[in-house]
Structures are given as structure tokens and as C-alpha cells.
Amino acid sequence: QVQLVESGGGLVQAGGSLRLSCTASGRDFSTYTMAWFRQAPGKEREFVAGISWPGGSTYYADSVKGRFTISRDNAKNTVYLQMNNLKPEDTAVYYCAARAGVVYTTQTRYNYWGQGTQVTVSS
């Protein structure tokens, strides 16, 4: 079992930056693929970024490429999402997710989820 807790959300102006963190408890964190999803009001939950185990390959949605960076610190059981040049359309609840195996962009492939953290970008 893996428990995930996100932090770092907040209110930021367009063009600003935030760094989200997701800390995992439970064993074998370093062997899990980690991902960030987001859900805006009235919209489906969508894939944002993923980082694989063991190679650490990263994957991004087209809408965030060049602006967001996903990374992980296995010693701290933590995955990060650095978000730069934020836009109002990035406003959403951001969720951390984990699974064993490769990165998928489909939320149903992920076994473990955090409670979410709100990111609001004002124009």
C-alpha cells in the first residue's frame, strides 16, 4: 500500500511559478511510477506529467511541455511538479498518482491517489 499526500498548491498570478510536492508513505516508493493529473471544474481529470521507474524517463502533456518539470527524490519518497509560466487555464485541482509499471496517461491505470491540491492562476 502507498499513501500519497500533496502540498504546494495556492493562488498565483499568470506568469508565476509554483512547486507541488507529493510525499509517499509505505514501502517500495522508489519502484513506483509516479504521475500528476489535474481536474478543472466541469472537466475530466487529465494527465499532466509522469516519471517512470527505474529509469526516470519523463512524459508530459502537450499543454505543459516546456513549462512544467516532474522530478523525484527517492531518498525523500517525494515527487515534485515545478510549474513555471502558469496560465489561467492551468487552474485545477492537482492530484498525485502512483502505479507499478510504465507511465500511462489514463487515470484508470493508477492504483494510488492523493487527496489533491488546488492551484488557481489569476489573469
Side-chain angles (χ1 to χ4, degrees), residues 5 11-12 15 24-25 28 43-44 55 59 65-66 68 74-75 79 81-82 86 89 95 97 100-101 103 110 113 122:
V5 178
L11 173 64
V12 65
S25 59
D28 297 331
K43 294 189 175 181
E44 299 270 328
Y59 305 83
K65 278 181 184 175
F68 290 12
N74 291 332
V79 62
L81 185 68
Q82 177 67 44
L86 282 159
E89 51 264 42
Y95 297 91
V103 172
Y110 290 80
W113 291 86
S122 63

PDB file of all heavy atoms in Angstrom, residues 5 11-12 15 24-25 28 43-44 55 59 65-66 68 74-75 79 81-82 86 89 95 97 100-101 103 110 113 122:
ATOM      1  N   VAL A   5       0.363  12.221  -0.249  1.00  0.00           N
ATOM      2  CA  VAL A   5      -0.108  13.500   0.273  1.00  0.00           C
ATOM      3  C   VAL A   5       0.532  14.628  -0.533  1.00  0.00           C
ATOM      4  O   VAL A   5       1.759  14.760  -0.558  1.00  0.00           O
ATOM      5  CB  VAL A   5       0.233  13.673   1.759  1.00  0.00           C
ATOM      6  CG1 VAL A   5      -0.241  15.045   2.248  1.00  0.00           C
ATOM      7  CG2 VAL A   5      -0.402  12.559   2.590  1.00  0.00           C
ATOM      8  N   LEU A  11      -2.627  30.228  -4.787  1.00  0.00           N
ATOM      9  CA  LEU A  11      -3.067  31.236  -5.746  1.00  0.00           C
ATOM     10  C   LEU A  11      -1.836  31.972  -6.272  1.00  0.00           C
ATOM     11  O   LEU A  11      -0.990  32.425  -5.494  1.00  0.00           O
ATOM     12  CB  LEU A  11      -4.011  32.218  -5.060  1.00  0.00           C
ATOM     13  CG  LEU A  11      -4.446  33.440  -5.862  1.00  0.00           C
ATOM     14  CD1 LEU A  11      -5.257  33.026  -7.084  1.00  0.00           C
ATOM     15  CD2 LEU A  11      -5.255  34.385  -4.971  1.00  0.00           C
ATOM     16  N   VAL A  12      -1.745  32.093  -7.585  1.00  0.00           N
ATOM     17  CA  VAL A  12      -0.605  32.745  -8.204  1.00  0.00           C
ATOM     18  C   VAL A  12      -1.085  33.532  -9.420  1.00  0.00           C
ATOM     19  O   VAL A  12      -2.094  33.162 -10.045  1.00  0.00           O
ATOM     20  CB  VAL A  12       0.478  31.713  -8.595  1.00  0.00           C
ATOM     21  CG1 VAL A  12      -0.036  30.768  -9.658  1.00  0.00           C
ATOM     22  CG2 VAL A  12       1.771  32.375  -9.018  1.00  0.00           C
ATOM     23  N   GLY A  15       1.874  33.840 -15.270  1.00  0.00           N
ATOM     24  CA  GLY A  15       3.301  34.052 -15.448  1.00  0.00           C
ATOM     25  C   GLY A  15       4.135  33.637 -14.259  1.00  0.00           C
ATOM     26  O   GLY A  15       5.371  33.574 -14.360  1.00  0.00           O
ATOM     27  N   ALA A  24       5.108  10.230  -0.299  1.00  0.00           N
ATOM     28  CA  ALA A  24       4.516   8.909  -0.194  1.00  0.00           C
ATOM     29  C   ALA A  24       4.943   8.228   1.089  1.00  0.00           C
ATOM     30  O   ALA A  24       6.086   8.367   1.534  1.00  0.00           O
ATOM     31  CB  ALA A  24       4.927   8.052  -1.385  1.00  0.00           C
ATOM     32  N   SER A  25       4.035   7.494   1.664  1.00  0.00           N
ATOM     33  CA  SER A  25       4.362   6.617   2.774  1.00  0.00           C
ATOM     34  C   SER A  25       4.058   5.202   2.341  1.00  0.00           C
ATOM     35  O   SER A  25       3.233   4.968   1.458  1.00  0.00           O
ATOM     36  CB  SER A  25       3.561   6.978   4.025  1.00  0.00           C
ATOM     37  OG  SER A  25       2.181   6.884   3.773  1.00  0.00           O
ATOM     38  N   ASP A  28       8.583   0.665  -0.759  1.00  0.00           N
ATOM     39  CA  ASP A  28       8.888   0.498  -2.178  1.00  0.00           C
ATOM     40  C   ASP A  28       8.492   1.690  -3.037  1.00  0.00           C
ATOM     41  O   ASP A  28       8.196   1.519  -4.222  1.00  0.00           O
ATOM     42  CB  ASP A  28       8.222  -0.765  -2.738  1.00  0.00           C
ATOM     43  CG  ASP A  28       8.740  -2.026  -2.065  1.00  0.00           C
ATOM     44  OD1 ASP A  28       9.901  -2.013  -1.628  1.00  0.00           O
ATOM     45  OD2 ASP A  28       7.977  -2.998  -1.979  1.00  0.00           O
ATOM     46  N   LYS A  43     -14.653  19.533 -15.965  1.00  0.00           N
ATOM     47  CA  LYS A  43     -13.854  18.831 -16.959  1.00  0.00           C
ATOM     48  C   LYS A  43     -13.398  17.480 -16.421  1.00  0.00           C
ATOM     49  O   LYS A  43     -13.406  17.226 -15.224  1.00  0.00           O
ATOM     50  CB  LYS A  43     -12.643  19.675 -17.364  1.00  0.00           C
ATOM     51  CG  LYS A  43     -13.008  20.958 -18.103  1.00  0.00           C
ATOM     52  CD  LYS A  43     -11.776  21.629 -18.668  1.00  0.00           C
ATOM     53  CE  LYS A  43     -12.140  22.838 -19.497  1.00  0.00           C
ATOM     54  NZ  LYS A  43     -10.939  23.486 -20.087  1.00  0.00           N
ATOM     55  N   GLU A  44     -12.971  16.633 -17.364  1.00  0.00           N
ATOM     56  CA  GLU A  44     -12.423  15.332 -16.992  1.00  0.00           C
ATOM     57  C   GLU A  44     -11.031  15.522 -16.367  1.00  0.00           C
ATOM     58  O   GLU A  44     -10.326  16.490 -16.670  1.00  0.00           O
ATOM     59  CB  GLU A  44     -12.285  14.465 -18.235  1.00  0.00           C
ATOM     60  CG  GLU A  44     -13.571  14.166 -18.965  1.00  0.00           C
ATOM     61  CD  GLU A  44     -14.220  12.901 -18.453  1.00  0.00           C
ATOM     62  OE1 GLU A  44     -13.495  11.998 -18.033  1.00  0.00           O
ATOM     63  OE2 GLU A  44     -15.459  12.843 -18.481  1.00  0.00           O
ATOM     64  N   GLY A  55      14.110   4.065 -14.676  1.00  0.00           N
ATOM     65  CA  GLY A  55      14.966   4.956 -15.463  1.00  0.00           C
ATOM     66  C   GLY A  55      14.741   6.436 -15.246  1.00  0.00           C
ATOM     67  O   GLY A  55      15.590   7.244 -15.617  1.00  0.00           O
ATOM     68  N   TYR A  59       7.454  12.214 -19.008  1.00  0.00           N
ATOM     69  CA  TYR A  59       6.441  12.366 -20.046  1.00  0.00           C
ATOM     70  C   TYR A  59       5.555  13.535 -19.662  1.00  0.00           C
ATOM     71  O   TYR A  59       5.242  13.711 -18.477  1.00  0.00           O
ATOM     72  CB  TYR A  59       5.597  11.087 -20.163  1.00  0.00           C
ATOM     73  CG  TYR A  59       6.430   9.857 -20.395  1.00  0.00           C
ATOM     74  CD1 TYR A  59       7.024   9.185 -19.327  1.00  0.00           C
ATOM     75  CD2 TYR A  59       6.642   9.375 -21.679  1.00  0.00           C
ATOM     76  CE1 TYR A  59       7.809   8.066 -19.531  1.00  0.00           C
ATOM     77  CE2 TYR A  59       7.428   8.245 -21.895  1.00  0.00           C
ATOM     78  CZ  TYR A  59       8.005   7.606 -20.816  1.00  0.00           C
ATOM     79  OH  TYR A  59       8.785   6.501 -21.020  1.00  0.00           O
ATOM     80  N   LYS A  65       4.242  21.086 -21.799  1.00  0.00           N
ATOM     81  CA  LYS A  65       5.636  20.892 -22.220  1.00  0.00           C
ATOM     82  C   LYS A  65       6.370  22.220 -22.292  1.00  0.00           C
ATOM     83  O   LYS A  65       5.857  23.204 -22.821  1.00  0.00           O
ATOM     84  CB  LYS A  65       5.681  20.217 -23.587  1.00  0.00           C
ATOM     85  CG  LYS A  65       5.520  18.726 -23.549  1.00  0.00           C
ATOM     86  CD  LYS A  65       5.609  18.120 -24.949  1.00  0.00           C
ATOM     87  CE  LYS A  65       5.343  16.634 -24.910  1.00  0.00           C
ATOM     88  NZ  LYS A  65       5.315  16.043 -26.273  1.00  0.00           N
ATOM     89  N   GLY A  66       7.576  22.221 -21.731  1.00  0.00           N
ATOM     90  CA  GLY A  66       8.379  23.435 -21.730  1.00  0.00           C
ATOM     91  C   GLY A  66       8.088  24.359 -20.568  1.00  0.00           C
ATOM     92  O   GLY A  66       8.838  25.310 -20.340  1.00  0.00           O
ATOM     93  N   PHE A  68       6.355  22.891 -17.382  1.00  0.00           N
ATOM     94  CA  PHE A  68       6.328  22.081 -16.173  1.00  0.00           C
ATOM     95  C   PHE A  68       7.467  21.066 -16.215  1.00  0.00           C
ATOM     96  O   PHE A  68       7.830  20.565 -17.282  1.00  0.00           O
ATOM     97  CB  PHE A  68       5.010  21.318 -16.069  1.00  0.00           C
ATOM     98  CG  PHE A  68       3.797  22.161 -15.786  1.00  0.00           C
ATOM     99  CD1 PHE A  68       3.825  23.546 -15.868  1.00  0.00           C
ATOM    100  CD2 PHE A  68       2.592  21.548 -15.458  1.00  0.00           C
ATOM    101  CE1 PHE A  68       2.696  24.310 -15.616  1.00  0.00           C
ATOM    102  CE2 PHE A  68       1.461  22.297 -15.196  1.00  0.00           C
ATOM    103  CZ  PHE A  68       1.511  23.684 -15.282  1.00  0.00           C
ATOM    104  N   ASN A  74      13.920   9.830  -4.483  1.00  0.00           N
ATOM    105  CA  ASN A  74      13.546   8.569  -3.857  1.00  0.00           C
ATOM    106  C   ASN A  74      13.986   8.507  -2.396  1.00  0.00           C
ATOM    107  O   ASN A  74      13.358   7.822  -1.585  1.00  0.00           O
ATOM    108  CB  ASN A  74      14.131   7.400  -4.644  1.00  0.00           C
ATOM    109  CG  ASN A  74      13.472   7.229  -5.996  1.00  0.00           C
ATOM    110  OD1 ASN A  74      12.304   7.589  -6.183  1.00  0.00           O
ATOM    111  ND2 ASN A  74      14.225   6.715  -6.955  1.00  0.00           N
ATOM    112  N   ALA A  75      15.050   9.201  -2.056  1.00  0.00           N
ATOM    113  CA  ALA A  75      15.501   9.205  -0.663  1.00  0.00           C
ATOM    114  C   ALA A  75      14.487   9.891   0.248  1.00  0.00           C
ATOM    115  O   ALA A  75      14.404   9.574   1.437  1.00  0.00           O
ATOM    116  CB  ALA A  75      16.852   9.900  -0.556  1.00  0.00           C
ATOM    117  N   VAL A  79       7.819  13.181  -4.961  1.00  0.00           N
ATOM    118  CA  VAL A  79       7.825  13.580  -6.365  1.00  0.00           C
ATOM    119  C   VAL A  79       7.382  15.037  -6.431  1.00  0.00           C
ATOM    120  O   VAL A  79       6.542  15.475  -5.640  1.00  0.00           O
ATOM    121  CB  VAL A  79       6.922  12.662  -7.225  1.00  0.00           C
ATOM    122  CG1 VAL A  79       5.471  12.744  -6.784  1.00  0.00           C
ATOM    123  CG2 VAL A  79       7.060  12.991  -8.695  1.00  0.00           C
ATOM    124  N   LEU A  81       6.415  18.643  -8.877  1.00  0.00           N
ATOM    125  CA  LEU A  81       5.988  19.213 -10.156  1.00  0.00           C
ATOM    126  C   LEU A  81       6.295  20.701 -10.094  1.00  0.00           C
ATOM    127  O   LEU A  81       5.615  21.454  -9.389  1.00  0.00           O
ATOM    128  CB  LEU A  81       4.501  18.985 -10.415  1.00  0.00           C
ATOM    129  CG  LEU A  81       4.023  19.447 -11.794  1.00  0.00           C
ATOM    130  CD1 LEU A  81       4.634  18.573 -12.900  1.00  0.00           C
ATOM    131  CD2 LEU A  81       2.496  19.432 -11.884  1.00  0.00           C
ATOM    132  N   GLN A  82       7.352  21.100 -10.801  1.00  0.00           N
ATOM    133  CA  GLN A  82       7.698  22.508 -10.902  1.00  0.00           C
ATOM    134  C   GLN A  82       6.906  23.109 -12.049  1.00  0.00           C
ATOM    135  O   GLN A  82       7.011  22.648 -13.185  1.00  0.00           O
ATOM    136  CB  GLN A  82       9.196  22.671 -11.150  1.00  0.00           C
ATOM    137  CG  GLN A  82       9.639  24.117 -11.338  1.00  0.00           C
ATOM    138  CD  GLN A  82       9.494  24.945 -10.072  1.00  0.00           C
ATOM    139  OE1 GLN A  82       9.849  24.485  -8.988  1.00  0.00           O
ATOM    140  NE2 GLN A  82       8.984  26.161 -10.207  1.00  0.00           N
ATOM    141  N   LEU A  86       2.851  29.989 -15.439  1.00  0.00           N
ATOM    142  CA  LEU A  86       1.488  29.491 -15.268  1.00  0.00           C
ATOM    143  C   LEU A  86       0.479  30.355 -15.997  1.00  0.00           C
ATOM    144  O   LEU A  86       0.639  31.582 -16.103  1.00  0.00           O
ATOM    145  CB  LEU A  86       1.150  29.402 -13.785  1.00  0.00           C
ATOM    146  CG  LEU A  86       1.760  28.184 -13.077  1.00  0.00           C
ATOM    147  CD1 LEU A  86       1.836  28.407 -11.575  1.00  0.00           C
ATOM    148  CD2 LEU A  86       0.960  26.941 -13.400  1.00  0.00           C
ATOM    149  N   GLU A  89      -5.560  28.866 -17.575  1.00  0.00           N
ATOM    150  CA  GLU A  89      -6.092  27.551 -17.927  1.00  0.00           C
ATOM    151  C   GLU A  89      -5.417  26.406 -17.171  1.00  0.00           C
ATOM    152  O   GLU A  89      -5.843  25.252 -17.290  1.00  0.00           O
ATOM    153  CB  GLU A  89      -6.004  27.308 -19.444  1.00  0.00           C
ATOM    154  CG  GLU A  89      -4.646  27.554 -20.050  1.00  0.00           C
ATOM    155  CD  GLU A  89      -4.500  28.944 -20.645  1.00  0.00           C
ATOM    156  OE1 GLU A  89      -4.970  29.933 -20.021  1.00  0.00           O
ATOM    157  OE2 GLU A  89      -3.907  29.039 -21.751  1.00  0.00           O
ATOM    158  N   TYR A  95      -3.610  16.281  -8.708  1.00  0.00           N
ATOM    159  CA  TYR A  95      -3.548  15.019  -7.991  1.00  0.00           C
ATOM    160  C   TYR A  95      -2.255  14.286  -8.322  1.00  0.00           C
ATOM    161  O   TYR A  95      -1.834  14.229  -9.475  1.00  0.00           O
ATOM    162  CB  TYR A  95      -4.708  14.117  -8.377  1.00  0.00           C
ATOM    163  CG  TYR A  95      -6.065  14.648  -8.020  1.00  0.00           C
ATOM    164  CD1 TYR A  95      -6.783  15.428  -8.923  1.00  0.00           C
ATOM    165  CD2 TYR A  95      -6.653  14.363  -6.791  1.00  0.00           C
ATOM    166  CE1 TYR A  95      -8.037  15.917  -8.603  1.00  0.00           C
ATOM    167  CE2 TYR A  95      -7.911  14.846  -6.463  1.00  0.00           C
ATOM    168  CZ  TYR A  95      -8.590  15.621  -7.378  1.00  0.00           C
ATOM    169  OH  TYR A  95      -9.845  16.098  -7.061  1.00  0.00           O
ATOM    170  N   ALA A  97      -0.432  10.545  -8.366  1.00  0.00           N
ATOM    171  CA  ALA A  97      -0.864   9.169  -8.535  1.00  0.00           C
ATOM    172  C   ALA A  97       0.345   8.259  -8.674  1.00  0.00           C
ATOM    173  O   ALA A  97       1.415   8.689  -9.108  1.00  0.00           O
ATOM    174  CB  ALA A  97      -1.766   9.043  -9.758  1.00  0.00           C
ATOM    175  N   ALA A 100       2.545   0.599 -10.282  1.00  0.00           N
ATOM    176  CA  ALA A 100       3.700  -0.236 -10.613  1.00  0.00           C
ATOM    177  C   ALA A 100       3.705  -0.413 -12.126  1.00  0.00           C
ATOM    178  O   ALA A 100       2.659  -0.668 -12.722  1.00  0.00           O
ATOM    179  CB  ALA A 100       3.595  -1.580  -9.916  1.00  0.00           C
ATOM    180  N   GLY A 101       4.855  -0.243 -12.732  1.00  0.00           N
ATOM    181  CA  GLY A 101       4.945  -0.410 -14.177  1.00  0.00           C
ATOM    182  C   GLY A 101       5.192   0.906 -14.885  1.00  0.00           C
ATOM    183  O   GLY A 101       5.589   1.891 -14.285  1.00  0.00           O
ATOM    184  N   VAL A 103       4.657   4.361 -17.369  1.00  0.00           N
ATOM    185  CA  VAL A 103       3.782   5.525 -17.322  1.00  0.00           C
ATOM    186  C   VAL A 103       2.623   5.336 -18.287  1.00  0.00           C
ATOM    187  O   VAL A 103       2.817   4.978 -19.443  1.00  0.00           O
ATOM    188  CB  VAL A 103       4.564   6.800 -17.697  1.00  0.00           C
ATOM    189  CG1 VAL A 103       3.619   7.991 -17.837  1.00  0.00           C
ATOM    190  CG2 VAL A 103       5.643   7.097 -16.660  1.00  0.00           C
ATOM    191  N   TYR A 110      -3.890   3.865 -12.676  1.00  0.00           N
ATOM    192  CA  TYR A 110      -3.185   4.188 -11.438  1.00  0.00           C
ATOM    193  C   TYR A 110      -3.950   3.665 -10.230  1.00  0.00           C
ATOM    194  O   TYR A 110      -5.153   3.834 -10.117  1.00  0.00           O
ATOM    195  CB  TYR A 110      -2.952   5.703 -11.336  1.00  0.00           C
ATOM    196  CG  TYR A 110      -1.928   6.152 -12.335  1.00  0.00           C
ATOM    197  CD1 TYR A 110      -2.277   6.362 -13.666  1.00  0.00           C
ATOM    198  CD2 TYR A 110      -0.595   6.319 -11.978  1.00  0.00           C
ATOM    199  CE1 TYR A 110      -1.327   6.733 -14.611  1.00  0.00           C
ATOM    200  CE2 TYR A 110       0.360   6.699 -12.908  1.00  0.00           C
ATOM    201  CZ  TYR A 110      -0.013   6.891 -14.223  1.00  0.00           C
ATOM    202  OH  TYR A 110       0.933   7.250 -15.147  1.00  0.00           O
ATOM    203  N   TRP A 113      -3.858   7.251  -5.159  1.00  0.00           N
ATOM    204  CA  TRP A 113      -4.115   8.668  -5.412  1.00  0.00           C
ATOM    205  C   TRP A 113      -4.004   9.473  -4.134  1.00  0.00           C
ATOM    206  O   TRP A 113      -4.364   8.999  -3.055  1.00  0.00           O
ATOM    207  CB  TRP A 113      -5.522   8.855  -5.979  1.00  0.00           C
ATOM    208  CG  TRP A 113      -5.669   8.307  -7.358  1.00  0.00           C
ATOM    209  CD1 TRP A 113      -5.973   7.027  -7.711  1.00  0.00           C
ATOM    210  CD2 TRP A 113      -5.486   9.041  -8.575  1.00  0.00           C
ATOM    211  NE1 TRP A 113      -5.984   6.912  -9.078  1.00  0.00           N
ATOM    212  CE2 TRP A 113      -5.703   8.128  -9.633  1.00  0.00           C
ATOM    213  CE3 TRP A 113      -5.164  10.358  -8.886  1.00  0.00           C
ATOM    214  CZ2 TRP A 113      -5.606   8.501 -10.979  1.00  0.00           C
ATOM    215  CZ3 TRP A 113      -5.082  10.735 -10.205  1.00  0.00           C
ATOM    216  CH2 TRP A 113      -5.295   9.826 -11.238  1.00  0.00           C
ATOM    217  N   SER A 122      -4.547  33.444 -11.520  1.00  0.00           N
ATOM    218  CA  SER A 122      -5.363  34.614 -11.859  1.00  0.00           C
ATOM    219  C   SER A 122      -4.759  35.348 -13.049  1.00  0.00           C
ATOM    220  O   SER A 122      -3.539  35.377 -13.229  1.00  0.00           O
ATOM    221  CB  SER A 122      -5.458  35.550 -10.662  1.00  0.00           C
ATOM    222  OG  SER A 122      -4.179  36.044 -10.316  1.00  0.00           O
TER     223      SER A 122
END
